[in-house]
Amino acid sequence: MEKKMRDLEDELFPSTPGKVKIERAHAMNRQFHRCFASTSTMFLWALFLIALTASYLSFQSFVDTSSKYFTASWGGLHWERQVRASAIPRRPNGFSVLVTGAAGFVGSHVSIALRKRGDGVLGLDNFNSYYDPSLKKARKTLLASHGVFVVEGDVNDARLLAKLLDIVPFSHVMHLAAQAGVRYAIENPNSYVHSNIAGLVTLLEACKAADPQPAIVWASSSSVYGLNEKVPFSESDTTDRPASLYAATKKAGEEITHTYNHIYGLSITGLRFFTVYGPWGRPDMAYFSFTRNILQGKPITVYRGKDRVDLARDFTFIDDIVKGCVASLDTAEKSTGSGGKKRGPAQYRIYNLGNTSPVTVPTLVAILERHLKVKAKKNIIEMPGNGDVPFTHANISLARRELGYKPSTNLEAGLKKFVKWYLSYYGYGRTNAGKNL
């Protein structure tokens, strides 16, 4: 018993001084090594995870880039052959024209008109969803039936533009690609800056670097006249009071094109369109949406200006606009630069393309009612502050004198043609939709 007590005492209170300290030191040392080993392991794991993440991100970037490359809608020998074949003129001394926004309303009409007379035409369009892309796809099919190939791409794609201008020595560029519409700018202002300013600059950069430099005709807008109250609107009027962001981007475009003309010798013609309408038109336009709603029995909204004054527009039929566009190409002088260097002064022009016969919106509605044989349900309200102007009226004397521009279709005749197309395209008539432009 006594021995057990001593053994227990020795165990609890050892006779060797420092024994506990040594054992404790060994224990602490072991724990330190364990902790150090654990920290090192964690550090190594952290390094491994960082490296793995970096590798994944690099690989993902490579995959994304490769995916974009391999899924791009342009490139390759077959694609290049299509581009060249579409751009080759069919008539002696014919033009080779790059038409941007070719699947759009004006773009498709201009492209077909040029093709019919034997010019080479290559289209470019990004098929965005501002309005129903199926209408743009239908226009693309129509263009293909006339031998016009449309490249799916954006005017902001500098690499694509450089490639196209390298494959084909275009004599002209008809720049019609733009973000259209006055009211949509309130919802999506960045799209206007992206398309109408950045896209224009990207195109001009590509054209000034091309050899030969093409002559450029592009779509400005009657919206640049903004709050101008002098009528009819003339090209010499001041345009420094835009009423909408859309108008401001078009005004900026006029200043930008003047700069490229002055510095790089690009031949540039700007066309101020006045409310273009007709078959294959834009669904966001009033006459188009009025037609849809009248046929569907839905009410239409008719805006009035201050003091209950009816809004009026200088409605211009698409065929007349096309004649003005083609005449602008025909009278455009060659650019004077080469590879981005100017050799002499270059042509710079701006023209109004309108009908010079403004018609009130209620009159427009009455004409549609006659052709549709349906009475419209109208909600008449005061025009909101959304950038619209109360009236437009074109002075076309300059275009008449220098381009031979003579609009020949009044609103009654033009809307009759539009309604016939609309009923056919959307299946209200017996004829097949989309066969004729």
Side-chain angles (χ1 to χ4, degrees):
M1 180 69 179
E2 187 175 340
K3 185 175 181 305
K4 288 182 178 179
M5 290 293 293
R6 280 199 302 272
D7 290 341
L8 181 60
E9 186 177 329
D10 287 340
E11 189 174 334
L12 294 174
F13 305 100
S15 60
T16 306
K19 181 177 179 182
V20 173
K21 291 182 180 178
I22 291 171
E23 288 186 356
R24 284 177 181 171
H26 283 310
M28 288 175 65
N29 204 26
R30 283 195 298 273
Q31 288 187 4
F32 175 77
H33 280 300
R34 275 196 218 102
C35 180
F36 181 78
S38 176
T39 303
S40 300
T41 302
M42 289 175 64
F43 180 69
L44 289 172
W45 272 107
L47 284 177
F48 174 73
L49 288 172
I50 291 171
L52 188 63
T53 302
S55 299
Y56 172 77
L57 292 174
S58 298
F59 177 73
Q60 189 65 37
S61 175
F62 170 76
V63 169
D64 290 344
T65 303
S66 300
S67 177
K68 288 178 182 177
Y69 178 80
F70 287 115
T71 61
S73 59
W74 61 274
L77 293 177
H78 176 65
W79 177 83
E80 289 190 18
R81 281 196 293 269
Q82 288 178 297
V83 167
R84 288 194 182 93
S86 187
I88 293 174
R90 266 64 168 176
R91 65 182 176 96
N93 302 315
F95 298 155
S96 182
V97 187
L98 172 64
V99 179
T100 70
F105 175 30
V106 178
S108 57
H109 281 268
V110 171
S111 296
I112 290 175
L114 292 172
R115 194 58 165 176
K116 282 182 175 178
R117 74 174 196 172
D119 292 318
V121 181
L122 177 71
L124 175 66
D125 204 291
N126 67 358
F127 295 91
N128 68 23
S129 57
Y130 168 61
Y131 60 79
D132 184 7
S134 68
L135 183 57
K136 299 177 184 179
K137 296 291 185 182
R139 296 192 194 113
K140 180 183 178 181
T141 300
L142 184 64
L143 288 166
S145 71
H146 286 84
V148 177
F149 178 57
V150 180
V151 174
E152 187 162 350
D154 198 283
V155 289
N156 283 282
D157 190 339
R159 196 164 63 97
L160 170 58
L161 291 177
K163 182 69 173 177
L164 293 175
L165 290 166
D166 180 59
I167 295 173
V168 178
F170 290 104
S171 60
H172 298 76
V173 170
M174 174 62 72
H175 179 48
L176 299 170
Q179 176 58 62
V182 170
R183 297 170 193 148
Y184 183 62
I186 296 174
E187 302 173 34
N188 192 357
N190 290 335
S191 65
Y192 289 79
V193 177
H194 176 76
S195 296
N196 301 0
I197 297 179
L200 175 61
V201 170
T202 303
L203 178 72
L204 293 172
E205 280 290 307
C207 289
K208 65 104 169 174
D211 191 7
Q213 290 179 338
I216 300 168
V217 177
W218 74 289
S220 183
S221 170
S222 62
S223 295
V224 300
Y225 291 108
L227 302 177
N228 178 30
E229 294 181 354
K230 172 185 164 292
V231 291
F233 301 155
S234 299
E235 293 87 347
S236 58
D237 292 345
T238 57
T239 54
D240 56 2
R241 294 199 301 159
S244 66
L245 179 62
Y246 169 70
T249 61
K250 287 300 186 178
K251 170 63 176 176
E254 293 186 354
E255 304 301 325
I256 290 167
T257 54
H258 184 275
T259 301
Y260 275 81
N261 165 265
H262 174 68
I263 297 176
Y264 302 110
L266 286 173
S267 170
I268 298 179
T269 303
L271 303 176
R272 294 172 177 171
F273 295 158
F274 281 72
T275 316
V276 190
Y277 73 99
W280 295 96
R282 284 183 12 227
D284 63 310
M285 296 289 284
Y287 73 94
F288 203 113
S289 61
F290 286 171
T291 301
R292 179 178 61 245
N293 288 355
I294 291 171
L295 287 170
Q296 294 177 359
K298 297 178 181 178
I300 63 173
T301 299
V302 178
Y303 293 123
R304 272 182 176 168
K306 293 180 181 179
D307 302 321
R308 300 175 65 84
V309 174
D310 291 328
L311 304 187
R313 293 287 181 270
D314 199 340
F315 295 101
T316 314
F317 191 62
I318 182 62
D319 291 359
D320 292 326
I321 288 291
V322 169
K323 291 173 185 175
C325 289
V326 173
S328 297
L329 290 171
D330 287 341
T331 57
E333 297 175 1
K334 291 183 178 180
S335 293
T336 62
S338 176
K341 294 183 179 179
K342 177 181 176 181
R343 293 196 301 267
Q347 183 184 53
Y348 185 82
R349 309 176 296 172
I350 290 180
Y351 297 109
N352 287 339
L353 293 187
N355 193 54
T356 199
S357 299
V359 177
T360 65
V361 175
T363 301
L364 164 73
V365 174
I367 296 172
L368 285 175
E369 288 175 324
R370 274 200 307 277
H371 291 312
L372 294 170
K373 297 180 176 59
V374 180
K375 194 71 176 175
K377 301 173 183 176
K378 298 185 279 281
N379 290 329
I380 301 175
I381 63 174
E382 187 173 337
M383 182 176 66
N386 56 15
D388 265 339
V389 294
F391 60 87
T392 59
H393 185 183
N395 180 339
I396 60 171
S397 58
L398 184 63
R400 182 182 287 118
R401 184 170 64 250
E402 298 187 4
L403 301 179
Y405 174 69
K406 295 178 182 178
S408 59
T409 307
N410 61 32
L411 188 60
E412 179 79 37
L415 284 179
K416 182 178 181 180
K417 292 179 180 180
F418 166 73
V419 167
K420 181 181 179 181
W421 168 83
Y422 187 97
L423 296 176
S424 172
Y425 182 81
Y426 288 101
Y428 289 91
R430 294 182 178 180
T431 56
N432 292 327
K435 278 193 174 181
N436 300 305
L437 185 63

